[in-house]
Amino acid sequence: MKLFISIYKIFEERFTRNKANFSPKYRPEIEGLKLHIGSGPINLEGWVNIDARAANHIHLNTNSVMLEEFSDHSIAEIYMCHVLEHFNISEIESILKRYKQKLKIGGILRISVPDFDLLIKIYEQTNKSIKLITPSILGGQDYEYNFHKIIFNRELLASILEKVGFKNIEEWETMEVFGMTINDWSSKEIRNNLDHYKVSLNLCCKNI
């Protein structure tokens, strides 16, 4: 417990030094520690940014998403955008079970993943442009971790969340939650000439 408190104090100090370039109007349902897993270039103010690639705004640089550094039932919210698809199905169940263990009772898991149902629609509406949807299905493949191992739609992701014990599964919108776009894939769109297409499934659930 003492180690956890020390880590948390370090994160608080680094929040002061590494503020985001924007001020989201985010109002957490539960006060406390909030983790942004796989944050990449996105610096969420007030969150612990965790990523495998080092940067000034990354508070915890690790290629593990299992949260060994944090005590059980210590986290108020976990957010991961376009991260879960980088793991295979057996890994995903283990990861989500671990997150349920780490979250407080009533804590929130907030996820964004590429939505295969939306990608099929894009494919059909763009004269079967496979090139347009390939990065969302297979990953950008421009560095070691940027490869996808699974595809999701709402039915599949919700069923996995339910299987590991999460409740109150519902969709969410970036603008409603954060008060503004945060420039990640939770609200970003694929552009094709003048047309814009949403690609993400956003689900949240509670540890009850």
Side-chain angles (χ1 to χ4, degrees), residues 89-100:
I89 187 68
S90 61
E91 291 173 317
I92 288 168
E93 289 191 14
S94 297
I95 290 167
L96 295 180
K97 285 179 182 177
R98 175 63 64 90
Y99 291 176
K100 191 173 189 303

Side-chain angles (χ1 to χ4, degrees), residues 4 14 20 25 79 83 90 94 113 173 180 195 198 201:
F4 167 72
R14 292 190 67 181
K25 299 176 183 177
Y79 174 47
V83 175
S90 61
S94 297
V113 294
E173 294 289 340
M180 62 187 300
D195 297 319
K198 290 185 177 180
L201 167 67

Side-chain angles (χ1 to χ4, degrees), residues 22 41-42 174 180-188:
F22 49 83
I42 308 300
T174 310
M180 62 187 300
T181 178
I182 56 176
N183 298 318
D184 68 6
W185 278 105
S186 64
S187 60
K188 198 178 294 186

Side-chain angles (χ1 to χ4, degrees), residues 118-119 121-123 125-126 132-133 136 181 185 187-200:
L118 290 178
L119 294 172
K121 290 181 180 178
I122 295 170
Y123 177 71
Q125 293 172 7
T126 58
L132 199 61
I133 64 172
S136 296
T181 178
W185 278 105
S187 60
K188 198 178 294 186
E189 300 175 337
I190 289 177
R191 298 187 180 187
N192 183 43
N193 298 322
L194 297 178
D195 297 319
H196 295 186
Y197 301 95
K198 290 185 177 180
V199 299
S200 295

Side-chain angles (χ1 to χ4, degrees), residues 16-33:
T16 304
R17 297 196 303 267
N18 297 305
K19 288 188 175 181
N21 295 322
F22 49 83
S23 299
K25 299 176 183 177
Y26 183 77
R27 296 292 182 267
E29 294 181 29
I30 301 175
E31 294 294 336
L33 185 63

Side-chain angles (χ1 to χ4, degrees), residues 133-151:
I133 64 172
T134 293
S136 296
I137 296 176
L138 300 179
Q141 302 189 8
D142 53 350
Y143 61 93
E144 178 184 1
Y145 303 106
N146 200 11
F147 291 81
H148 296 178
K149 297 181 179 180
I150 189 172
I151 53 176

